[in-house]
Amino acid sequence: MGARGHACPARAVVPGRSTGARCEECARLERAHSVAADRIADDPRPYHVYLAWFGPGMVKVGITAVARGSARLLEQGAVCFSRLGTGPLMAARRTEELLRAALGVPDRIPYAEKRAVRSALPATAAERAAEIEELHRRATALGGWPESLEREPFRPVDHAGVFGLAGLPPAVGEVGELVAGGVVSGELVAVAGPDLHLMTDGAVVVLDTRLMTGWELRPARRTGCTVPVREFRGPTGVQGGLF
């Protein structure tokens, strides 16, 4: 794919398991002007600091431009979230680092861990918001917040209905990579972030749509899955409690 609108100069072959659709060098260049990679310190836009919940014990802290609304949280597959504060980019970054250092809250949750638990989430929105409510309380009680960051009250936003997670059958695994001539076809039962949960051959398989970048797709003539699938092996990916 190349970087920043330019073709890859090496025309490198990207592995089928890559979700970035770029070779290592092009990926580095693409992130050279990235907020996420801390390559921009003077972005004048206001940013939200948020807490996002993906399942029991899976809470992360992050930032997103105010202008993007909830888009970043939907892209990550956050089942519920609440904002902590709003302010300039560097103030938002310092607050993010404060929570990571003082409360041990990570800034990333691996997608494999998110996928493995989506069918076993608490039934009510209040239960799903309980962990971030407690963490929001602890975070706002901390000292050392940047003065330029305006704190926000706890207001949980739940995406379980948007994603279609109610009654979601457990997934047996995730598509490991796409291959030439391979088939991934089935009934769409849920969509969370980049993940499609497909009922195929009597079982649910998760397809990360980022794997599809660069592939020529055609309508499938039959239902089934003939590409490599990595099986989920129980709840081993679930983090321990944060509190």
Side-chain angles (χ1 to χ4, degrees), residues 158-207:
D158 194 273
H159 290 151
V162 176
F163 295 154
L165 301 183
L168 178 66
V172 297
E174 59 188 356
V175 172
E177 62 179 301
L178 299 183
V179 297
V183 174
V184 184
S185 178
E187 178 188 356
L188 184 63
V189 293
V191 180
D195 296 338
L196 306 181
H197 289 247
L198 300 167
M199 179 65 74
T200 177
D201 293 332
V204 174
V205 172
V206 182
L207 170 63

Side-chain angles (χ1 to χ4, degrees), residues 65-78:
V66 170
R68 296 207 67 204
S70 299
R72 179 63 181 149
L73 285 305
L74 291 165
E75 290 169 355
Q76 296 180 71

Side-chain angles (χ1 to χ4, degrees), residues 12-233:
V13 176
V14 179
R17 297 180 181 180
S18 171
T19 57
R22 291 182 174 89
C23 69
E24 183 176 343
E25 178 63 15
C26 287
R28 183 186 67 80
L29 293 172
E30 182 71 14
R31 290 176 62 82
H33 191 72
S34 166
V35 169
D38 283 335
R39 302 298 186 183
I40 305 175
D42 58 351
D43 189 334
R45 298 176 298 170
Y47 278 78
H48 285 310
V49 184
Y50 63 82
L51 292 169
W53 184 88
F54 301 89
M58 297 183 189
V59 180
K60 63 157 282 187
V61 61
I63 71 171
T64 185
V66 170
R68 296 207 67 204
S70 299
R72 179 63 181 149
L73 285 305
L74 291 165
E75 290 169 355
Q76 296 180 71
V79 179
C80 67
F81 78 95
S82 178
R83 297 183 178 96
L84 273 168
T86 305
L89 172 60
M90 296 314 294
R93 274 292 188 222
R94 287 196 296 272
T95 305
E96 183 183 38
E97 289 299 322
L98 173 65
L99 266 66
R100 290 173 60 187
L103 301 180
V105 186
D107 62 353
R108 294 184 183 182
I109 301 292
Y111 273 102
E113 296 181 7
K114 303 175 191 179
R115 294 165 186 149
V117 301
R118 284 193 186 123
S119 64
L121 300 178
T124 69
E127 290 175 296
R128 293 191 289 270
E131 287 188 65
I132 55 172
E133 181 177 18
E134 171 62 13
L135 191 55
H136 189 285
R137 182 190 64 77
R138 295 179 63 196
T140 54
L142 290 173
W145 282 57
E147 293 183 1
S148 56
L149 194 91
E150 180 181 354
R151 303 191 191 193
E152 297 194 24
F154 179 68
R155 294 194 184 98
V157 178
D158 194 273
H159 290 151
V162 176
F163 295 154
L165 301 183
L168 178 66
V172 297
E174 59 188 356
V175 172
E177 62 179 301
L178 299 183
V179 297
V183 174
V184 184
S185 178
E187 178 188 356
L188 184 63
V189 293
V191 180
D195 296 338
L196 306 181
H197 289 247
L198 300 167
M199 179 65 74
T200 177
D201 293 332
V204 174
V205 172
V206 182
L207 170 63
D208 184 340
T209 54
R210 296 174 301 170
L211 292 171
M212 296 162 57
T213 305
W215 285 90
E216 180 182 358
L217 303 179
R218 299 178 181 176
R221 297 181 179 179
R222 60 183 177 85
T223 298
C225 183
T226 64
V227 298
V229 172
R230 290 194 292 265
E231 294 184 1
F232 292 138
R233 299 187 181 278

